[in-house]
Amino acid sequence: MRKGGVILYPTDTVWGIGCDATNAEAVKRVYEIKQRDDSKALICLVDSDARMQRYFRNVPDVAWQLIDSLTGGQAHCEVTASHGACPPVRPTTLILDGAINLATNLIAEDGSVGIRITNEPFSKELCYRFQKAIVSTSANISGEPAAQNYCDIDPRIIESVDYVCWSRRQEHKPHTPSSIIKLKENGEVTVIRK
């Protein structure tokens, strides 16, 4: 990815096509592989809230509150303590305004971008080692179903990328795409996908 390569990798949701989210040429290749119009935004993954902050002029307070509750943070655990251990929460992508330090063709016309802090071990370690945001879009041709497992990936996608990660290739489990919530700087919240 440091040289502009595109990979296939398992994420905290479905299998994804990934690349350096700061490299416009690599992002362009992802759109081409998916046969997707570049007006449809892609999302990216990071390993921590500290890294997420690098890609926005301002992260609204409501985003931090939401992240805390979605990742089973202290506030979430206090709310759910009476029900036993903190239950697992579905991965959630936040669309935030004022994106910076990313490839321009990754940022929507309104200046927003979708980002998710991953807690799945492989993708989290990948993001940590890469030290940058990584594009994460479902490993499918645009309009076809998302690849829940490696065996679901269209051979055309596999042949088009530079590298396929080995982790979780043998897995056969149901996976679903993330929830998507758009947060405006004024605090307005819109659920795009439950």
Side-chain angles (χ1 to χ4, degrees):
M1 289 190 294
R2 289 192 177 100
K3 295 179 179 177
V6 175
I7 66 167
L8 268 178
Y9 68 113
T11 75
D12 51 343
T13 59
V14 296
W15 269 74
I17 303 173
C19 70
D20 178 352
T22 68
N23 182 327
E25 281 302 310
V27 171
K28 180 180 176 202
R29 276 195 59 212
V30 172
Y31 280 115
E32 290 168 354
I33 289 168
K34 281 186 67 79
Q35 300 175 25
R36 182 174 183 174
D37 184 346
D38 66 7
S39 66
K40 294 184 178 179
L42 303 175
I43 68 161
C44 48
L45 291 184
V46 291
D47 63 316
S48 66
D49 51 4
R51 193 155 344 263
M52 186 178 89
Q53 282 186 284
R54 296 180 188 178
Y55 300 109
F56 300 93
R57 287 191 194 88
N58 176 48
V59 178
D61 289 340
V62 67
W64 297 123
Q65 293 164 7
L66 196 53
I67 288 166
D68 187 56
S69 69
L70 293 170
T71 57
Q74 187 62 34
H76 174 68
C77 287
E78 286 172 7
V79 169
T80 60
S82 61
H83 304 293
C86 292
V89 181
R90 184 169 167 198
T92 301
T93 300
L94 300 180
I95 300 175
L96 303 174
D97 291 333
I100 56 172
N101 302 323
L102 292 166
T104 54
N105 54 346
L106 186 63
I107 301 171
E109 284 184 18
D110 66 359
S112 69
V113 77
I115 196 161
R116 185 167 73 252
I117 300 171
T118 179
N119 286 308
E120 183 273 330
F122 181 82
S123 54
K124 188 174 187 77
E125 182 72 12
L126 182 66
C127 290
Y128 173 75
R129 288 187 184 202
F130 191 58
Q131 296 286 299
K132 291 184 191 177
I134 297 174
V135 165
S136 180
T137 182
S138 57
N140 61 304
I141 303 293
S142 188
E144 293 182 1
Q148 295 184 38
N149 297 287
Y150 176 75
C151 61
D152 301 321
I153 302 172
D154 187 311
R156 293 173 293 174
I157 299 271
I158 295 169
E159 292 162 11
S160 299
V161 300
D162 300 303
Y163 183 76
V164 181
C165 295
W166 284 96
S167 181
R168 292 173 43 202
R169 281 200 197 182
Q170 303 305 317
E171 187 176 80
H172 293 278
K173 290 168 53 177
H175 295 279
T176 55
S178 70
S179 297
I180 301 177
I181 298 175
K182 185 171 178 65
L183 302 176
K184 302 293 283 182
E185 284 183 302
N186 64 8
E188 180 184 330
V189 177
T190 307
V191 176
I192 306 292
R193 181 169 67 201
K194 287 186 177 184

